Amino acid sequence: MTPGGEAESARRSPIPAAAGVRRATLLTEDGVPIETRYEPSRAGGGLSTGAPVIVVAHGFTGALERPALRRVASAFTQRTAVITFSFRGHGRSGGRSTVGDREVLDLAAAVHWARALGHRRVITVGFSMGGSVVLRHAALSARNKPDQEAKHEEREGRTGAHTAGADAVVAVSAPARWYYRGTAPMRRVHWAITRPTGRLVSRYGLRTRIDARGWNPEPLPPVAAVPLIAPTPLLIVHGDRDPYFPLDHPRMLMAAADRASTELWIEPGFGHAETAAPAELLDRVADWALARA
């Protein structure tokens, strides 16, 4: 749940056109338009059916055109094709943010588009709020979850979340549990989400539109999602200097996961999510994902 720090001028600046780049507005299962961008691999491979693609899910208050997300996409396209998008309530996407709940439908739409473009192998990489979304998306995919869990999600109106799973999943700086307020940055995030004044500040200061209705029902917590992801390969990445979520979060996720298919990287000196991820870490994440997908 990453507060954005990038300039509004950067958010509005157009992305230069490039060969093979595609832009699309996808419609989620619940009818929200999501702005999306496809970039082919700079290493070649194009849209061959055997080429993998990484779908990147940004943090809270991020967006497709934010500099931090563009830097992540640039790093990943050195190795493979990449899809980036703005979650609902962010950037030029429609709707309002539900802070990780119905965002699983946004990710599902992007994954579906990746497969419609011809990619047989899809990797999801999420940061902070996006990290919790990729975990839930993988857990809710039909091939991974028990029938009773699928029926529960159908009652919640999230059936589109499990129509197409990922072939490998990476969660960076993700929370393990909801409602965490143990750090000053997360107390500020909760103020922005739960208070009318905070939502106004978020809308006009951070350019993020938040749904005031809250969760009903509460979505599956990340720590409950990770056991359902196996046998899909899962990588959990967390910095030892994360100012939002301390190290008990990734350790809780790892403790709940299937160790045969899950790895945990505790990164020395790394802060939080896409805004702090160094180029060397992004390279290693891409290499891990491509080797396992």
Side-chain angles (χ1 to χ4, degrees):
M1 301 170 185
T2 313
E6 297 81 5
E8 172 62 11
S9 59
R11 189 185 75 88
R12 289 182 175 177
S13 61
I15 299 174
V21 172
R22 302 187 183 193
R23 305 216 43 175
T25 299
L26 308 178
L27 200 63
T28 66
E29 183 160 303
D30 60 344
V32 178
I34 301 298
E35 65 165 347
T36 315
R37 174 180 166 99
Y38 172 86
E39 299 172 73
S41 171
R42 299 183 189 180
L47 280 174
S48 71
T49 55
V53 60
I54 295 177
V55 179
V56 183
H58 62 74
F60 181 57
T61 77
L64 186 154
E65 296 187 19
R66 296 275 189 173
L69 193 59
R70 299 272 38 92
R71 183 175 60 86
V72 171
S74 179
F76 288 164
T77 55
Q78 300 297 326
R79 287 164 169 76
T80 193
V82 174
I83 289 176
T84 48
F85 64 95
S86 295
F87 279 122
R88 62 186 62 202
H90 295 73
R92 295 185 177 92
S93 290
R96 294 175 181 266
S97 174
T98 62
V99 199
D101 179 13
R102 301 191 74 83
E103 282 75 7
V104 73
L105 300 178
D106 309 345
L107 178 61
V111 169
H112 179 78
W113 190 47
R115 298 199 185 277
L117 287 172
H119 290 282
R120 291 179 181 172
R121 293 177 289 162
V122 179
I123 302 152
T124 54
V125 178
F127 295 87
S128 193
M129 180 188 79
S132 71
V133 173
V134 301
L135 293 174
R136 289 182 52 240
H137 174 264
L140 301 178
S141 61
R143 64 181 178 177
N144 290 330
K145 61 184 297 187
D147 290 342
Q148 63 269 26
E149 291 293 331
K151 291 176 182 178
H152 173 72
E153 291 301 321
E154 286 173 7
R155 289 195 298 271
E156 294 186 16
R158 303 189 188 96
T159 55
H162 50 82
T163 56
D167 298 289
V169 181
V170 182
V172 183
S173 306
R177 55 194 186 274
W178 304 137
Y179 309 113
Y180 179 72
R181 292 178 171 84
T183 58
M186 281 308 300
R187 288 191 287 274
R188 290 194 293 270
V189 169
H190 280 278
W191 174 81
I193 294 168
T194 61
R195 302 296 181 89
T197 303
R199 290 191 293 272
L200 280 174
V201 170
S202 180
R203 182 183 183 95
Y204 295 106
L206 302 175
R207 303 300 176 184
T208 301
R209 307 175 304 280
I210 300 172
D211 193 326
R213 293 173 295 181
W215 290 340
N216 184 24
E218 180 181 302
L220 188 71
V223 71
V226 289
L228 305 177
I229 295 174
T232 300
L234 168 63
L235 174 62
I236 300 165
V237 182
H238 213 91
D240 66 357
R241 295 188 181 180
D242 191 314
Y244 291 85
F245 303 114
L247 291 179
D248 64 311
H249 284 261
R251 288 168 177 158
M252 285 179 64
L253 293 174
M254 186 65 195
D258 183 335
R259 291 182 177 270
S261 57
T262 307
E263 291 185 38
L264 170 62
W265 295 355
I266 301 296
E267 295 294 310
F270 173 39
H272 186 72
E274 64 264 43
T275 57
E280 179 272 337
L281 175 59
L282 296 174
D283 291 343
R284 283 193 287 120
V285 164
D287 288 341
W288 180 94
L290 293 172
R292 284 153 183 81

